[in-house]
Amino acid sequence: MNIKTSLLFFTLLLPNVASAQDYAKVDGVAYELTTTRGTDPQPIARVASKDYRFNEPYTGKVVIPASIVYQGKTYPVVGMRSDAFAGSEKLTSVVLPKNIKFISSGAFRQCNLSSYDFLDGITTIGSSAFSECGFKSLTIPKSVMTIEEAAFEDCDKLESITLSPNIIYLEASVFAGCKKLQSVVLPEGIQEIPSKFFSGCTALKEVVIPEFVKTIGNKAFSGCESLTSIVVPDNVTKIYNDAFRRCISLQSLTFGSRVKEISVGVFGECRNLKDIYFNALKSPSIPEFAFNGLPCDKITLHVPVAAVETFKSREPWNKLNIVGDPNLTGMPKDDGSKWEFRTTSANNDCTIKKVVTTSSETKVYMELRINKRTRCNISPEAYIEANGIKYKIKDAIGITFAPTFASYNAGSSIFSFIFPPLPSNVTKFNMIEEDSSWKFYDVKAK
């Protein structure tokens, strides 16, 4: 597609770092006071640790204003320092100004807040931001698009969490050590289960890996002792070291058709594994000792009928009981879409991946392929045009409406647009933005 300034532009990651630092306490809150660099330096303030700077913890309800006045000078409050509220065990609630969009690293580590409604409007949750906190449940609002490393690590009372469907990036160890976490619905737009993501989640009983995930990281599910089955979707191509190690209750593993590499220790200590379903005609790369220590004579490998002899001739697959399953074809599963689509020369960076139409909505999945870090949004005036009628966009997942932008790293990213349901007699539609940044013509029923 044509990259227009109204839609896509490359992010300049030039830090607007403050030049001088001082600390002050205003209305019971500690702040780091600085000025921005550049030709027109401006005073700014960031919430700081009162315990560290003034030897007293935060307690009760803390209200952070949009700006403060100190020694006659006004400072807009633009963010938080690392560990700002860390260890404040008697902190009960926090109110943040709307201009704070980032929860800093370790900001609420080891806190026992009774309310987390201040997350509404936040776009990024920093590393270890809520690690070792005592909450039992949490809802991450739709504004959040990034959760950094170990954000909720060792929250050993956490039982359930509702994630924002708009999350694009999840980093390593986000839920590692959350021993009471039982189920999580992962955002559909993510393309990786990062390293140690659920490591040590001993109570996790169910997890659905989104269909656009391509890799499963080191120890991603290691020590998930309550998982009994896992389905690896078709788009996954590589499973890294120890991904399912010590999943001692795991009985069934299903792999899609595109897995090319299974690394060391993936099945380690899965001593109750009974069935492996592998929907592939070719066996993936796998260590010869992959099944060492497992009761191989009790494990059945289900493969397409046409692939039985191939798997029987390959180690270590031939250590298992191999059977042909007529329900496995070796091909990707039909995604259920009744539509086909083409990419025009004007849209060569972004393509329609899939269209799903139901009685309640029309969901258009998009894939953005770029070679540099990019920012992207969708106009709230976008619409589908079918049979001469315009159906205006209702919502978006994994991307934001203009003028707010979401950042995407180099590579491919998946997001989706949601439109009203189309009449059953529609066989062709166009998807258009009023400013012409996005145009996809002749999306046709198969």
Side-chain angles (χ1 to χ4, degrees), residues 278-283 300-315 317-330:
F278 217 109
N279 187 33
L281 296 175
K282 295 182 179 180
S283 61
T300 300
L301 175 64
H302 305 257
V303 299
V305 173
V308 169
E309 295 306 317
T310 297
F311 278 85
K312 282 185 176 180
S313 66
R314 302 284 176 84
E315 292 188 0
W317 300 110
N318 56 13
K319 295 181 179 180
L320 310 180
N321 302 311
I322 301 175
V323 299
D325 188 332
N327 294 317
L328 300 177
T329 64

Side-chain angles (χ1 to χ4, degrees), residues 387-398:
N387 294 347
I389 299 174
K390 293 181 179 179
Y391 299 85
K392 188 175 178 181
I393 192 167
K394 294 169 56 180
D395 203 355
I397 296 175

Side-chain angles (χ1 to χ4, degrees), residues 166-221:
N166 289 324
I167 292 173
I168 302 169
Y169 302 116
L170 291 167
E171 295 188 356
S173 304
V174 166
F175 296 112
C178 294
K179 297 179 180 179
K180 292 187 177 181
L181 185 64
Q182 296 185 28
S183 65
V184 178
V185 177
L186 294 170
E188 65 179 27
I190 64 170
Q191 296 182 66
E192 176 189 16
I193 306 296
S195 298
K196 298 183 180 180
F197 193 75
F198 289 112
S199 178
C201 292
T202 54
L204 187 66
K205 295 180 179 179
E206 181 181 9
V207 64
V208 176
I209 301 175
E211 66 173 302
F212 295 114
V213 167
K214 297 177 181 178
T215 59
I216 297 176
N218 297 333
K219 300 183 180 180
F221 295 92

Side-chain angles (χ1 to χ4, degrees), residues 28 32 120 146 154 175 232 369 381 428 446:
E32 176 197 67
D120 193 19
T146 300
D154 292 331
F175 296 112
V232 177
R369 290 183 176 273
E381 302 304 317
K428 185 174 77 171
K446 291 179 180 177

